[in-house]
Amino acid sequence: MDVEEASCVLMARFVPDPEVLRLAEALGALRRERGLSQAEAGARLDMTSQGWGLYESGRRPGLFRPDVQRRLTAALEATPEDLALILARTASPASDPASSGVESRARVFEPAPAKSLSAAAPRRLQLSSDELAPWAASGVVVEYQPGVWPRRGQGCVIETRDGGLRVRLYDHADADTLHLLGSGALDQAETLLRSEVISLSAVTARLDI
């Protein structure tokens, strides 16, 4: 048996720990929310789709390491905090969040209970200005899906802690800031502190009513 065959046998016999599997599945869910394939996510780290897939299957070591989590989530324009939120949505009530193994910091977005989030119906909001024209003009109704993170260039609805709702085009995010387009002009950049945000939802349709 050569080295490659031996590696395949060892991989086939390897059974990930249940906690590793939960974390790996959360990573996969976070990637899908960002609208990326395994190949696209892996390419951002000079990694093959197979290499990324090993993390999502729980068959690659290091997923509990904070530096690995920061590297993987950064490729998804997210943070370990976002990974923790995905994990919290799928955790059973008896689960202890302290045992999740996800790097912990103060949580910015409070997740909805798993049942209500999965059953959340699309919502609608009518625009009252032309600041997003020609993407969407005044009077257009946007339909958005709570719990679904937008892709780059996709419309989004932002609920802020002061009770406001903003419609913008999503650009990217880092640990502390959301980067958006469309405040007065589509080519005008806008930043928003994540501490000011309650929820960020992807726009799934524009309706002329």
Side-chain angles (χ1 to χ4, degrees):
M1 181 182 298
D2 60 25
V3 173
E4 183 175 356
E5 290 175 334
S7 298
C8 291
V9 170
L10 288 174
M11 185 67 72
R13 290 178 179 174
F14 176 71
V15 178
D17 180 91
E19 288 300 313
V20 175
L21 280 177
R22 286 185 58 242
L23 191 55
E25 290 168 0
L27 178 65
L30 182 61
R31 172 184 57 77
R32 290 188 292 273
E33 281 193 0
R34 296 311 197 262
L36 296 173
S37 66
Q38 289 185 345
E40 290 169 329
R44 295 182 175 189
L45 298 176
D46 294 324
M47 184 188 300
T48 65
S49 60
Q50 291 85 355
W52 185 279
L54 290 177
Y55 279 116
E56 288 192 10
S57 65
R59 294 177 179 273
R60 192 163 187 170
L63 195 51
F64 277 95
R65 287 172 44 189
D67 60 317
V68 172
Q69 290 175 15
R70 286 194 295 270
R71 182 166 174 259
L72 293 174
T73 55
L76 303 177
E77 297 178 5
T79 67
E81 177 182 47
D82 298 306
L83 187 61
L85 294 179
I86 296 286
L87 196 63
R89 294 209 305 253
T90 59
S92 64
S95 295
D96 179 5
S99 66
S100 66
V102 179
E103 183 186 16
S104 178
R105 296 191 302 168
R107 293 186 177 180
V108 176
F109 300 120
E110 289 299 326
K115 288 185 179 179
S116 64
L117 185 60
S118 63
R123 299 176 185 174
R124 293 184 177 183
L125 177 66
Q126 186 171 32
L127 301 185
S128 58
S129 73
D130 291 321
E131 65 181 10
L132 292 178
W135 181 79
S138 177
V140 168
V141 174
V142 293
E143 187 171 87
Y144 61 100
Q145 181 64 58
V148 176
W149 193 279
R151 299 185 299 273
R152 176 170 286 178
Q154 185 176 8
C156 62
V157 174
I158 306 156
E159 182 182 2
T160 56
R161 294 191 181 278
D162 61 7
L165 286 176
R166 306 186 193 187
V167 181
R168 299 289 186 265
L169 297 185
Y170 175 78
D171 187 45
H172 66 284
D174 53 36
D176 301 307
T177 312
L178 294 177
H179 297 265
L180 311 160
L181 299 173
S183 178
L186 288 183
D187 60 353
Q188 182 175 337
E190 178 182 0
T191 59
L192 188 63
L193 292 176
R194 295 179 64 152
S195 59
E196 299 175 1
V197 175
I198 294 176
S199 66
L200 177 69
S201 306
V203 170
T204 55
R206 286 171 286 170
L207 311 172
D208 293 309
I209 297 179

